[in-house]
Amino acid sequence: MRIHHHIGRRTRSGLLAGLLAATSALAMGIAVAQPGTAEAAASLRSLADAKGRDIGFALDPNRLSESPYKQIADAEFNLVVAENAMKWEVTEPNRNQFSFGQGDAVVNYAVGSNKKVYGHTLVWHNQMPGWTSNLSGSDLLAAMKNHIAGVAGHYKGKVFAWDVVNEAFADGGSGGRRDSILQQRIGNSWIEEAFRAARAADPDAKLCINDYSTDGINAKSTAIYNLVKDFKSRGVPIDCVGFQAHLIIGQVPGDMQANLQRFTDLGVDVRVTELDIRMSTPANSSKLATQAADYKKVMNICLAVARCQGVTVWGITDKYSWIPGTFPGEGAALIWDENYAPKPAYQAVAEALGSGTTPTTPAPTTPVPTTPVPTTPAPTTPAPTTPAPNGSCTVTYVPNSWGNGFTAEIRIRNDGPDPVNAWSFGFYFTAGQQVTNAWNATVSQSGTQVLARNASYNGAVAVGGTVSFGFQGTHTGSNPSPTSFTFNGKVCANG
Ligand code: G3I
């Protein structure tokens, strides 16, 4: 993210969603249709809270020093999971020497930002510390139990649920166990041993089994289904099943809802634990629209299943996703792009959480030129000059230029259909102009992109009402007026 040059009053965090929606439209050079300003202004967290569901994200605590990362994390989620910080190699790098610095950073962040902590993960064949590799079966079992006691014990009362066992089943259609060292050396019992140890370490934590490619009904998900059924019948503790949902655009399984439902019918909770929806890169508007529809489908599937606790996305920004490193040529899988601008998927998730309808066939973005999501400074081409079909704002931009300076007065009319309580307003300069100070708004500029947010006293604009603000700037000899403006993410008509 480039450093923004802030002018005027400080931002109000409550404006984040609306601000970022405008950023998105600007950064992509497209119009993002946003049906309701209420939804555009609400955070995913507030929408999920109202539904009694979790909306989570995978946190890398080292990224919290990056201001937009932290702002989004703070505002948009009510649940945190450690992307790596609680894994075996991190928490017990040497045998019986526990190291909780990174995991504690996740918990401390969650406490400070009022979020639940979901634990990931006590036992996984991947990211095991090197010292486990040469242990005999009985020693490995003892080490596994000691690890679970140490980690789940340390986080007792702080982590409300654990992925006790992660990715224990084989890929392909065999429906068998993964051929890991745990499976090879301990044998079939290692999974239930892990669950019993976790229950002993923290009797109040929900204990989950988690896996990927199990989102639809298939041999792998049926193997887990059978394990849950078996555990339930024998009194082995298990409370929940996680579906990672590392998906590809256009490929949300058609039977995902039925799959989640069949698990809850066994008496366990379910959740989507690691959602991301990747595409071949570069992204374009059509792929992003498909992705948005897919995110909405997954949200709606969870909302339609009574015991689906919520959805966690596997990261915040495409800048840091694991995908390109593992699947070269693929990426753009999250709901904020590399510049922290919300993608169409953000609005789709908000719409699903706002409405909670059963799956439909959403088409959230119009119009959609084929420009890719930029990874470099914002495009110099301004957004379309015609209003979006549902454009609901009208703008007048009146510059007054001299030498190499100018002022501009901007008046925005809210044409409805809803009143707004907070606003963000964006446009591009096309001739190197630079804002130097502003009044009646907080204005920031990044490259050619200008964003204004309401002052504390002029956020509310009734339908038919107007709001105005102004700024002073410099130019290098010509000062063409911007011709395309967005107001809370909607493209405005020019008045
Ligand atoms: O911390 C080291 C750093 O010191 C070193 O310089 C760097 C060099 O490669 O590696 C860093 O460690 C990386 C670690 O992430 C932290 O960034 C590892 O190489 C890298 O392999 C590791 O990847 C993680 C991956 O699990 C491990 O398999 C991803 O971040 C994480 O997103 C991913 O998450 C998994 C879930 O836990 C389980 N489900 C699948 C999901 C995606 O693979």
Side-chain angles (χ1 to χ4, degrees):
M1 176 102 178
R2 288 155 289 132
I3 305 295
H4 283 215
H5 178 54
H6 286 278
I7 302 133
R9 291 179 174 78
R10 283 187 60 77
T11 62
R12 291 166 57 104
S13 60
L15 302 182
L16 183 70
L19 164 66
L20 291 176
T23 313
S24 174
L26 285 163
M28 287 190 249
I30 64 173
V32 179
Q34 302 204 9
T37 48
E39 282 182 2
S43 67
L44 302 184
R45 177 190 187 134
S46 62
L47 295 167
D49 283 345
K51 284 265 186 293
R53 310 282 181 137
D54 297 331
I55 182 78
F57 76 107
L59 170 67
D60 178 349
N62 301 311
R63 305 292 180 205
L64 287 170
S65 55
E66 204 165 318
S67 151
Y69 185 99
K70 184 168 184 305
Q71 283 183 314
I72 292 172
D74 287 351
E76 299 286 352
F77 302 101
N78 58 21
L79 179 148
V80 170
V81 59
E83 184 177 3
N84 290 296
M86 293 188 187
K87 292 173 178 173
W88 195 339
E89 71 175 3
V90 180
T91 51
E92 195 185 0
N94 299 300
R95 190 165 189 175
N96 208 30
Q97 287 180 4
F98 290 92
S99 168
F100 293 120
Q102 289 190 50
D104 288 355
V106 172
V107 170
N108 292 340
Y109 170 72
V111 170
S113 57
N114 190 27
K115 304 185 202 302
K116 299 157 79 171
V117 183
Y118 185 88
H120 175 84
T121 168
L122 293 172
V123 193
W124 184 26
H125 68 279
N126 203 343
Q127 287 177 295
M128 286 175 70
W131 60 264
T132 57
S133 60
N134 293 320
L135 305 183
S136 68
S138 59
D139 208 11
L140 184 58
L141 176 60
M144 181 187 83
K145 288 181 174 177
N146 188 58
H147 177 72
I148 292 170
V151 177
H154 178 80
Y155 289 114
K156 185 171 173 345
K158 295 173 178 162
V159 165
F160 79 97
W162 276 104
D163 286 335
V164 177
V165 165
N166 189 43
E167 301 175 8
F169 285 83
D171 296 325
S174 72
R177 295 283 185 89
R178 179 183 296 280
D179 190 23
S180 65
I181 64 162
L182 296 149
Q183 183 68 27
Q184 288 166 3
R185 297 189 193 161
I186 304 173
N188 272 342
S189 66
W190 76 270
I191 299 182
E192 65 187 85
E193 293 279 12
F195 275 83
R196 290 186 202 279
R199 182 65 96 224
D202 184 355
D204 296 326
K206 300 278 187 194
L207 307 182
C208 315
I209 190 163
N210 189 48
D211 218 319
Y212 65 87
S213 299
T214 52
D215 315 302
I217 297 176
N218 56 40
K220 194 172 175 182
S221 62
T222 298
I224 296 177
Y225 177 85
N226 289 333
L227 175 132
V228 173
K229 208 167 165 181
D230 172 51
F231 277 21
K232 284 281 182 189
S233 74
R234 293 191 295 116
V236 180
I238 189 162
D239 305 305
C240 34
V241 179
F243 299 85
Q244 292 185 9
H246 292 295
L247 299 172
I248 296 169
I249 58 167
Q251 297 183 24
V252 177
D255 53 8
M256 186 169 175
Q257 185 175 323
N259 189 41
L260 269 54
Q261 186 65 52
R262 73 173 173 153
F263 278 88
T264 69
D265 292 346
L266 293 176
V268 288
D269 291 336
V270 295
R271 72 172 59 237
V272 176
T273 49
E274 302 183 15
L275 179 62
D276 48 28
I277 307 181
R278 63 188 186 265
M279 61 185 70
S280 60
T281 48
N284 62 33
S285 55
S286 145
K287 292 183 218 175
L288 291 170
T290 303
Q291 182 186 55
D294 290 342
Y295 266 98
K296 195 171 197 176
K297 273 184 203 166
V298 173
M299 297 306 301
N300 279 331
I301 286 167
C302 183
L303 289 165
V305 175
R307 290 189 69 163
C308 182
Q309 305 298 298
V311 172
T312 295
V313 287
W314 203 242
I316 288 180
T317 163
D318 290 336
K319 186 176 176 182
Y320 297 127
S321 166
W322 67 288
I323 299 278
T326 302
F327 301 102
E330 297 180 62
L334 293 167
I335 62 180
W336 284 269
D337 72 13
E338 292 94 336
N339 298 314
Y340 291 101
K343 294 151 67 178
Y346 174 88
Q347 183 65 19
V349 171
E351 284 172 10
L353 284 170
S355 69
T357 55
T358 49
T360 53
T361 47
T365 54
T366 56
V368 281
T370 55
T371 41
V373 173
T375 53
T376 48
T380 50
T381 313
T385 53
T386 51
N390 296 320
S392 54
C393 39
T394 304
V395 171
T396 55
Y397 179 100
V398 181
N400 175 24
S401 303
W402 65 90
N404 291 111
F406 72 108
T407 60
E409 284 287 342
I410 293 163
R411 177 174 292 270
I412 308 157
R413 188 177 69 212
N414 176 14
D415 295 333
D418 299 308
V420 305
N421 295 316
W423 50 266
S424 58
F425 179 81
F427 59 87
Y428 286 121
F429 283 131
T430 55
Q433 298 99 319
Q434 184 70 46
V435 176
T436 53
N437 62 74
W439 50 93
N440 296 336
T442 299
V443 179
S444 62
Q445 181 169 352
S446 178
T448 57
Q449 179 181 346
V450 179
L451 286 170
R453 288 153 294 186
N454 63 275
S456 59
Y457 48 83
N458 64 1
V461 190
V463 175
T466 60
V467 64
S468 55
F469 72 97
F471 61 84
Q472 184 167 353
T474 58
H475 64 85
T476 57
S478 88
N479 185 24
S481 296
T483 52
S484 182
F485 307 95
T486 59
F487 182 61
N488 282 356
K490 296 176 180 174
V491 176
C492 299
N494 294 324

